[in-house]
């Protein structure tokens, strides 16, 4: 980890991650080599010296495909999507949080560098605005109402989630065998019984994953196929399956 912000060395300005900003590219490359290359590899292919044997392999940035996004499947994530993942890390994987390690300027520089690792970023048709998703409803704080939504959500869960995630949500349903992702790795559906989910610590993070899907994986997005209230019902079930945890909004 760097103890000194690299922005002090390079004097980069904060702002959007413009992939054509050569100064930020150089700064981003410097930080990437130090902070990211041990896992993601010196050329961003996910094959760094620490990657071998990891149960969840580091992202191959050369493919330009990202799971955690507020954009529809097939589109590139927004800068805020990338910042959220880098700052927050990914629970249950080797991806740590860099919230206290990197300044906003340093983070923007890394984004510039990442956007130069894949040609997908240059394809204008792959860019769109983030989708605005609703916030969690108040009934989560009313036990009587909550139980009603859990019951409705359980019916949905049995219909569309059990095949992959299993009856108790442990990722061991009959459809979980032999799944792979676009990076060529064998994957298992998420264990929804865990206290912390890879999508993030909040109900809104779970909503984002169910609604938008995880690009490059068998997890499709259900936005449009399900109403917002149905997705919240599913989240009520997932929280019931999870180990006790205080949920942040």
């Amino acid at each position: 980890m760097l103890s000194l912000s690299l922005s002090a060395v390079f004097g980069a300005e904060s702002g959007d991650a413009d992939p054509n900003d050569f100064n930020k590219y150089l700064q981003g490359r410097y930080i990437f080599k130090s902070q990211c290359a041990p896992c993601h590899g010196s050329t961003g292919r996910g094959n760094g010296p620490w990657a071998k044997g990891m149960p969840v392999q580091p992202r191959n940035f050369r493919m330009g495909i990202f799971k955690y996004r507020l954009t529809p499947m097939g589109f590139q994530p927004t800068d805020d999507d990338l910042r959220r993942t880098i700052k927050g890390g990914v629970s249950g994987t080797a991806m740590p949080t860099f919230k206290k390690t990197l300044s906003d300027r340093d983070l923007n520089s890394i984004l510039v560098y990442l956007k130069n690792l894949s040609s997908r970023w240059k394809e204008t048709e792959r860019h769109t605005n983030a989708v605005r998703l609703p916030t969690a409803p108040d009934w989560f704080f009313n036990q009587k109402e909550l139980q009603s939504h859990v019951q409705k959500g359980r019916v949905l869960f049995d219909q569309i989630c059990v095949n992959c995630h299993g009856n108790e949500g442990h990722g061991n349903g009959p459809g979980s065998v032999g799944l792979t992702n676009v990076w060529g790795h064998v994957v298992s559906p998420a264990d929804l019984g865990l206290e912390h989910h890879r999508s993030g610590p909040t109900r809104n993070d779970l909503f984002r994953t169910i609604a938008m899907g995880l690009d490059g994986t068998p997890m499709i997005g259900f936005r449009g196929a399900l109403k917002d209230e149905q997705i919240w019902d599913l989240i009520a079930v997932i929280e019931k399956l999870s180990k006790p945890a205080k949920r942040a909004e």
Side-chain angles (χ1 to χ4, degrees):
M1 301 298 177
L2 295 180
S3 60
L4 175 66
S5 167
L6 279 242
S7 59
V9 178
F10 290 92
E13 297 297 327
S14 61
D16 293 336
D18 178 2
N20 297 313
D21 189 322
F22 188 60
N23 287 331
K24 286 186 179 179
Y25 171 85
L26 290 178
Q27 179 186 359
R29 184 177 66 175
Y30 187 98
I31 300 171
F32 187 92
K33 298 290 185 182
S34 172
Q35 306 278 6
C36 313
C39 292
H40 292 283
S42 60
T43 60
R45 300 181 188 278
N47 59 351
W50 295 356
K52 187 176 181 180
M54 285 185 179
V56 180
Q57 287 293 292
R59 183 65 57 246
N60 179 352
F61 295 121
R62 290 289 180 173
M63 296 187 71
I65 299 173
F66 297 84
K67 295 193 293 184
Y68 308 112
R69 332 156 321 280
L70 272 171
T71 53
M73 296 192 79
F75 288 87
Q76 297 305 95
T78 66
D79 286 2
D80 284 342
D81 288 330
L82 296 175
R83 290 187 186 101
R84 181 175 58 247
T85 300
I86 296 173
K87 284 185 175 182
V90 182
S91 180
T93 76
M95 176 63 186
T97 171
F98 287 93
K99 187 174 183 179
K100 296 182 179 180
T101 309
L102 297 175
S103 71
D104 289 341
R105 290 179 177 180
D106 295 340
L107 188 53
N108 282 349
S109 296
I110 289 180
L111 300 193
V112 170
Y113 182 71
L114 291 181
K115 289 180 179 182
N116 280 278
L117 293 178
S118 171
S119 61
R120 285 172 65 98
W121 290 102
K122 299 178 182 179
E123 300 170 9
T124 56
E125 67 274 15
R126 293 192 181 276
H127 295 267
T128 189
N129 295 327
V131 174
R132 296 188 65 179
L133 299 180
T135 55
D138 291 338
W139 52 254
F140 274 102
F141 304 100
N142 183 308
Q143 284 301 311
K144 185 176 181 180
E145 286 189 71
L146 176 60
Q147 290 308 311
S148 173
H149 286 280
V150 168
Q151 292 173 4
K152 290 188 290 185
R154 185 69 221 196
V155 175
L156 270 177
F157 189 90
D158 291 342
Q159 291 174 346
I160 64 178
C161 306
V162 162
N163 185 55
C164 289
H165 291 282
N167 188 60
E168 298 301 320
H170 294 306
N172 57 353
S176 66
V177 180
L179 296 178
T180 59
N181 60 26
V182 73
W183 299 279
H185 305 136
V186 176
V187 295
S188 298
D191 184 347
L192 303 177
L194 296 177
E195 182 176 348
H196 302 288
H197 302 290
R198 292 180 189 172
S199 57
T202 74
R203 294 183 179 118
N204 293 335
D205 292 318
L206 285 173
F207 191 103
R208 184 188 70 248
T209 297
I210 297 172
M212 311 308 293
L214 299 175
D215 223 351
T217 80
M219 177 62 189
I220 64 171
F222 288 92
R223 178 173 171 262
L226 296 178
K227 297 178 180 178
D228 288 351
E229 53 263 37
Q230 291 178 305
I231 296 178
W232 289 122
D233 290 346
L234 284 175
I235 291 171
V237 174
I238 292 172
E239 289 195 358
K240 191 77 172 179
L241 296 172
S242 301
K243 296 177 181 179
K246 182 179 180 181
R247 297 289 173 186
E249 292 308 319

